Amino acid sequence: MPTERKDTPHFWAIIDALPIAVLLKDTAKPDIFANQQALQLLGLKPSQQVLSLSDIRHIELTEPDSNEVLGLVQNPLLLALGGSSLHQVVCLNQNKFRVQLESRLIQLSFTLSKSVLIVLKPEQPHDIAAAGQSSTHEVSELEEALAFDKLISLISAELINVQPDELDTHIEDALTALGEFCHADRSYVFLFHDDMTLMSNTHEWVRTGVSSHKEHLQNMPESSQPYIWQVLQKQHVFVASDIEQLPAEAALEKQEFRNEDIQSILCSAMYSQGQLIGFVGCDMVARKRAWTNSDIRRLKLVGNMIGNTIQNINYRLSLEQMQQELLQANRELQELASRDGLTGIANRRHFDLILQQELNRCARLHLPLGLIMADIDYFKSYNDSYGHLAGDDVLKQVAGQLSETIKRQGELVARYGGEEFAIIVPGCSAADLRLLLENLRSRIEQLSIVHAKAPARQLTISLGASLTEPDKNTSSSELINEADSALYRAKAQGRNRAEVILPSENGRLPPGNQKR
């Protein structure tokens, strides 16, 4: 009885579809694989794809001339499976006809051990010699089919995750395999441009001694090859074993083929996401060729493989583009979320985040940390006198001046609320902090913004600062409260001035010698 069905070789679908009866056995393994033609010829069920030696012993073979049943010692199937190379005629009793049996040991490039290949072909009684030659030819074709499909499998595996800059090399490898195995003189790919109005010969393989025309086949309108495109769109394949036999409507194509010395041509359409994107083709230059079903199958296989790869790369590139756009959108959203909508500087939320980060960093590195609070003097009366639009413009100008002054890494200018601004200044000495405060006050004064209701008759700011060397117990609220106290002192003493609360006043250690 046959054994249970097991995993078949990766290339078995090719052998199973062949029109000749084939048995295949790896010498290192017990399983014997029989394709559908062999199962039918041997009188076995279609489901009995994997056989054992016991199954083979139950197949009765007879000697053609004497009709004697061949015993185990003389059974050619068993001898062949044992590794013997045979070429003889046997008779299958159950079917009452003679078959040519040919066996040989073959070495597949992708296996470590050898394999036994057995081909069974019903004998043509009138031409036994021709039958033997045909069988040998079919075995050769089978070996070639296996070699091609293995090579394409390897190329296809490499194409699965190929990077865009490696695509050309792998397509050219596939075209080389296609041209060699189809015995063609050229193999190539034509692709439409993005707008689908022009096409170009993007990749090409040519046999030694054959001219290349790739350079001249660029940016071609579809109208230059109307007949081919019509056939490809309807039948997906274009086959011409003799271009002189093409119909009159292929006049443009025939002229181009003559210019390129093409005698026979075979093309297969390539698709991406259901859309025709180009075609893959083979040319014969030295002679005509009657294209075989194997040629067409190989061409379609390469075309589908290249089309799917281009689709996958385009899909990956689209995903990467979408990811980059999403990342950029997220960055922009984060930027918007951290910016004040009116002035464009950092908002209160971002200020709180950066202040805590700088507080932790300065405590870890034993650096001083300065915090400045600034407030526009008499801003309410300015709004009342000149209107809110003028008040908004003033806020923008003040924010701009502060930002132009505060530029070191780690420093930050933020709108704290209303007309009040906060400035983080890490690593600053007391002397440098005082200079900075005066610089900020002066720059706003130099704007010379008229404010009729202010004592100075122009817009000014008051500033308060706190300087401390924080430790792990220092809180951000402490720094803010100290800077606010200094600001209150500046306003109480007449505005348009700056006050600083130094470490001696807040009870903390003096800052280091870091200079601004």
Side-chain angles (χ1 to χ4, degrees):
M1 295 302 291
T3 60
E4 292 183 4
R5 183 187 181 94
K6 300 181 180 179
D7 290 336
T8 54
H10 70 276
F11 53 80
W12 185 252
I14 305 165
I15 296 179
D16 204 32
L18 290 174
I20 56 173
V22 176
L23 298 176
L24 184 69
K25 179 184 181 298
D26 188 321
T27 56
K29 298 177 182 179
D31 301 323
I32 304 165
F33 296 97
N35 70 354
Q36 292 302 310
Q37 287 290 330
L39 293 172
Q40 181 179 355
L41 186 66
L42 298 174
L44 300 173
K45 295 179 181 179
S47 60
Q48 294 176 297
Q49 198 168 62
V50 182
L51 309 177
S52 66
L53 285 176
S54 177
D55 301 320
I56 299 299
R57 291 192 191 99
H58 286 86
I59 297 172
E60 190 174 283
L61 301 177
T62 58
E63 206 282 328
D65 297 327
S66 64
N67 288 329
E68 292 183 2
V69 176
L70 295 170
L72 293 180
V73 177
Q74 298 85 19
N75 189 313
L77 279 178
L78 296 178
L79 292 173
L81 291 170
S84 300
S85 295
L86 300 176
H87 180 76
Q88 69 181 83
V89 177
V90 294
C91 187
L92 295 170
N93 239 11
Q94 62 270 45
N95 291 320
K96 306 295 184 185
F97 59 81
R98 295 152 57 104
V99 296
Q100 285 279 346
L101 183 152
E102 180 171 332
S103 69
R104 68 173 72 173
L105 280 175
I106 61 174
Q107 179 69 63
L108 300 176
S109 61
F110 47 90
T111 58
L112 296 177
S113 56
K114 292 187 176 182
S115 297
V116 175
L117 179 67
I118 303 174
V119 175
L120 300 168
K121 188 174 186 294
E123 183 190 88
Q124 300 296 326
H126 61 279
D127 193 354
I128 295 177
Q133 293 173 2
S134 175
S135 176
T136 301
H137 175 69
E138 287 163 347
V139 170
S140 178
E141 282 193 341
L142 178 58
E143 291 177 338
E144 185 178 86
L146 290 173
F148 174 81
D149 283 279
K150 175 56 182 176
L151 180 58
I152 291 300
S153 294
L154 293 174
I155 296 173
S156 180
E158 292 177 346
L159 283 171
I160 290 175
N161 293 309
V162 69
Q163 297 302 312
D165 58 351
E166 300 172 342
L167 177 62
D168 291 342
T169 299
H170 291 292
I171 289 180
E172 286 162 6
D173 287 345
L175 291 179
T176 301
L178 178 66
E180 291 287 1
F181 281 93
C182 288
H183 308 284
D185 295 321
R186 293 192 197 101
S187 58
Y188 44 81
V189 167
F190 275 79
L191 290 175
F192 272 121
H193 295 199
D194 291 340
D195 59 6
M196 300 300 291
T197 60
L198 300 174
M199 60 182 175
S200 293
N201 184 184
T202 57
H203 304 80
E204 182 186 54
W205 167 87
V206 293
R207 193 174 294 281
T208 302
V210 176
S211 300
S212 168
H213 293 274
K214 178 182 175 183
E215 181 180 347
H216 307 292
L217 299 174
Q218 303 298 311
N219 304 313
M220 299 171 60
E222 184 179 348
S223 58
S224 66
Q225 304 281 304
Y227 182 71
I228 283 184
W229 285 111
Q230 181 183 358
V231 173
L232 286 176
Q233 287 169 345
K234 290 182 179 179
Q235 303 176 15
H236 312 302
V237 66
F238 178 82
V239 184
S241 296
D242 183 354
I243 67 160
E244 299 302 331
Q245 301 300 317
L246 289 171
E249 54 265 38
L252 288 175
E253 284 81 358
K254 287 173 70 173
Q255 184 58 49
E256 180 60 36
F257 295 160
R258 289 168 182 155
N259 292 341
E260 299 178 31
D261 300 320
I262 296 172
Q263 299 194 49
S264 304
I265 185 170
L266 176 63
C267 302
S268 179
M270 293 194 306
Y271 292 86
S272 175
Q273 296 180 331
Q275 182 179 16
L276 182 65
I277 61 169
F279 65 88
V280 59
C282 289
D283 294 342
M284 295 301 301
V285 173
R287 58 184 174 83
K288 295 182 178 67
R289 177 172 174 81
W291 302 107
T292 66
N293 289 333
S294 293
D295 294 331
I296 296 173
R297 184 186 70 82
R298 289 166 182 164
L299 190 74
K300 288 182 176 179
L301 183 63
V302 170
N304 290 337
M305 182 177 68
I306 294 174
N308 289 336
T309 300
I310 292 174
Q311 177 175 315
N312 290 339
I313 285 181
N314 289 339
Y315 180 64
R316 290 209 309 269
L317 291 176
S318 296
L319 281 180
E320 289 173 4
Q321 182 180 353
M322 289 175 60
Q323 289 173 343
Q324 291 303 317
E325 290 174 355
L326 286 173
L327 288 173
Q328 181 61 29
N330 284 335
R331 283 192 291 267
E332 291 173 357
L333 286 173
Q334 290 174 355
E335 183 72 12
L336 288 172
S338 66
R339 294 289 158 185
D340 175 61
L342 176 64
T343 62
I345 63 175
N347 59 18
R348 172 68 181 274
R349 175 177 175 274
H350 192 56
F351 164 78
D352 290 337
L353 175 65
I354 298 302
L355 179 59
Q356 188 60 53
Q357 290 177 355
E358 287 301 311
L359 187 64
N360 295 337
R361 186 176 74 88
C362 289
R364 186 174 66 253
L365 300 177
H366 304 292
L367 294 174
L369 178 61
L371 178 63
I372 302 171
M373 304 298 289
D375 188 83
I376 300 175
D377 297 328
Y378 303 107
F379 185 70
K380 182 178 184 305
S381 62
Y382 186 90
N383 264 340
D384 293 341
S385 299
Y386 300 100
H388 289 285
L389 290 179
D392 288 348
D393 186 58
V394 161
L395 289 171
K396 293 177 186 177
Q397 291 189 63
V398 171
Q401 290 296 312
L402 298 179
S403 296
E404 288 181 11
T405 309
I406 305 299
K407 293 182 176 180
R408 287 199 321 171
Q409 185 176 4
E411 295 180 340
L412 180 76
V413 179
R415 186 180 178 192
Y416 195 73
E419 70 274 20
E420 192 172 9
F421 299 87
I423 304 170
I424 301 172
V425 190
C428 184
S429 68
D432 285 337
L433 182 58
R434 289 187 186 279
L435 289 174
L436 176 60
L437 288 166
E438 178 55 26
N439 189 15
L440 294 170
R441 188 205 63 77
S442 176
R443 291 195 66 156
I444 302 304
E445 190 174 49
Q446 290 170 12
L447 287 174
S448 299
I449 300 172
V450 176
H451 186 354
K453 295 296 179 72
R457 302 298 180 181
Q458 70 178 57
L459 195 84
T460 59
I461 63 169
S462 297
L463 306 102
S466 173
L467 183 63
T468 185
E469 185 173 305
D471 57 34
K472 63 180 181 179
N473 297 315
T474 306
S475 68
S476 59
S477 60
E478 289 181 58
L479 274 67
I480 295 171
N481 290 336
E482 290 167 359
D484 264 336
S485 296
L487 175 61
Y488 178 79
R489 184 189 299 174
K491 285 187 172 291
Q493 294 182 13
R495 293 181 169 84
N496 190 24
R497 60 183 293 124
E499 292 291 331
V500 181
I501 294 181
L502 295 174
S504 58
E505 298 180 60
N506 59 29
R508 301 188 186 280
L509 295 172
N513 295 322
Q514 293 82 1
K515 298 295 183 182
R516 177 179 173 75

